[in-house]
Amino acid sequence: MPIRPRPALGVVMVIMAAFFFSVNGSVAKTILRAGIPAADLTTFRALGAAVGLFVIGALVRPGIKRFRITGKEVPLLLVYGLTGFFAVPILYFVAISRLPVGIGLLFEFTAPLFVALWARFGQRQQVRGRLWVGFALSLAGLAVVAEVWGDIHLDTLGVAAALLSAVLLAIYFVLGAKGATSRDTISLTGFAFVISAAAGFLTKAVTGQLPDWSVLSQDTPGGVPIYLLCAYLIILGTIVPYSLVVAGFHHLPATSVGILGMTEPVMAAAVAWVALGEQLNTAQLAGGAILLVGVVLAETARVSVGQNEPHAPAESASASERDRSPAATG
């Protein structure tokens, strides 16, 4: 059944997802500090989320039928799962294990900038001149966050992981909007996590190892059982926010989802400040603000949103024809 786009509901969904994700950054970093490798934590998270979503999907109408797939859907689901649900989390966990959570997310959330650049050069979409202003501000903001005028304090591998995750996150935004046109939230997210978990186990099998989750039965130095943090990681840090984002694609274009998602670094930095004592100095806070302004300018520089960025599973033929433009977004 076609879903009538409700932009206000989409905004609430994406903001709620950003909040849960922001708390998840500090939770994940605490688990990583206990000694679990980033790849193993990603596999654990994906497996738990996949099981949870398939159970929910089987119990909620229309039941197990929602998980039927066609051969045409397989390539998109594979790339969607491997990029946004396997590679991005691994790179994000690597980044926040070596960088403050807020800074890692600031680098990662240059993703909408890559979406805008793809629209301009990959899709040949017309853009306003502020794309280049936004691009310049984003680079300036990153330079200030990294404090390049002095000794570089940021971990090189952490920065590289965060920036690569940004590129893959851009692919996730584009594919997510496309996938939401033909699949419901539960099945799209569930299949993506199945692919992520399978990729994690396959990677371990190639290296002749199994994921090491033994630390999950331990407590943090503060006495908090790690299994409770893992419960948050899977339920409120994964199933709920990922589902909210995918549901948001039914009501908002990927551009809007990307821009609203940029509230996450701000909230995550605040949570990490309180929970982990990770304080950003005045220059880094200013650089983060400049970066976010630049990304918003770049992301809103497109003249029109083409039909390839729909926000409802089905539209009438007349609406599709009316909204079609030769320079459609990926």
Side-chain angles (χ1 to χ4, degrees):
M1 178 183 294
I3 297 177
R4 181 173 62 87
R6 299 170 62 185
L9 178 60
V11 169
V12 172
M13 287 178 170
V14 178
I15 294 295
M16 288 179 61
F19 171 75
F20 286 122
F21 277 137
S22 67
V23 177
N24 196 52
S26 294
V27 171
K29 185 157 188 173
T30 302
I31 299 173
L32 289 166
R33 284 178 172 176
I36 184 171
D40 291 354
L41 183 59
T42 300
T43 303
F44 174 82
R45 179 194 194 194
L47 180 62
V51 171
L53 285 165
F54 269 77
V55 170
I56 294 171
L59 296 176
V60 177
R61 294 179 60 185
I64 202 68
K65 292 188 297 184
R66 65 167 28 95
F67 295 110
R68 294 173 180 170
I69 61 174
T70 64
K72 293 181 179 180
E73 295 178 287
V74 172
L76 184 144
L77 290 173
L78 282 173
V79 178
Y80 186 56
L82 290 174
T83 55
F85 293 74
F86 179 66
V88 168
I90 287 180
L91 292 167
Y92 170 63
F93 289 154
V94 170
I96 65 172
S97 69
R98 309 176 76 92
L99 299 170
V101 172
I103 290 180
L105 276 172
L106 282 173
F107 279 93
E108 182 179 356
F109 268 79
T110 56
L113 179 63
F114 291 111
V115 174
L117 292 175
W118 167 251
R120 170 63 183 87
F121 296 105
Q123 299 294 320
R124 305 290 184 181
Q125 186 172 2
Q126 291 182 330
V127 297
R128 298 181 178 91
R130 66 170 177 261
L131 170 65
W132 311 115
V133 176
F135 186 64
L137 285 176
S138 297
L139 293 178
L142 288 176
V144 174
V145 169
E147 297 182 324
V148 296
W149 55 83
D151 293 334
I152 302 297
H153 302 295
L154 297 184
D155 182 87
T156 303
L157 179 58
V159 171
L163 288 176
L164 181 54
S165 72
V167 176
L168 297 179
L169 185 61
I171 297 174
Y172 159 77
F173 282 136
V174 174
L175 293 182
K178 186 174 182 179
T181 64
S182 59
R183 302 208 65 89
D184 72 308
T185 299
I186 295 175
S187 66
L188 179 61
T189 311
F191 277 124
F193 276 119
V194 167
I195 292 167
S196 175
F201 282 112
L202 181 61
T203 301
K204 282 294 183 178
V206 170
T207 60
Q209 300 175 336
L210 291 175
D212 182 8
W213 298 332
S214 59
V215 299
L216 303 184
S217 61
Q218 302 174 10
D219 293 347
T220 68
V224 179
I226 293 179
Y227 70 83
L228 288 181
L229 298 179
C230 290
Y232 180 95
L233 179 78
I234 291 174
I235 300 172
L236 294 179
T238 304
I239 293 177
V240 171
Y242 268 103
S243 297
L244 284 170
V245 170
V246 174
F249 284 130
H250 291 296
H251 302 282
L252 297 169
T255 50
S256 298
V257 173
I259 291 172
L260 291 169
M262 288 190 300
T263 58
E264 182 185 338
V266 178
M267 290 188 283
V271 172
W273 196 327
V274 174
L276 303 176
E278 294 182 347
Q279 299 185 24
L280 305 184
N281 60 39
T282 302
Q284 289 173 322
L285 290 172
I290 293 171
L291 168 63
L292 295 181
V293 169
V295 174
V296 170
L297 286 175
E299 186 57 30
T300 57
R302 278 170 277 183
V303 174
S304 63
V305 176
Q307 69 165 16
N308 288 337
E309 194 177 61
H311 48 269
E315 294 178 333
S316 67
S318 60
S320 296
E321 289 296 326
R322 182 174 61 251
D323 293 340
R324 182 174 291 130
S325 70
T329 305

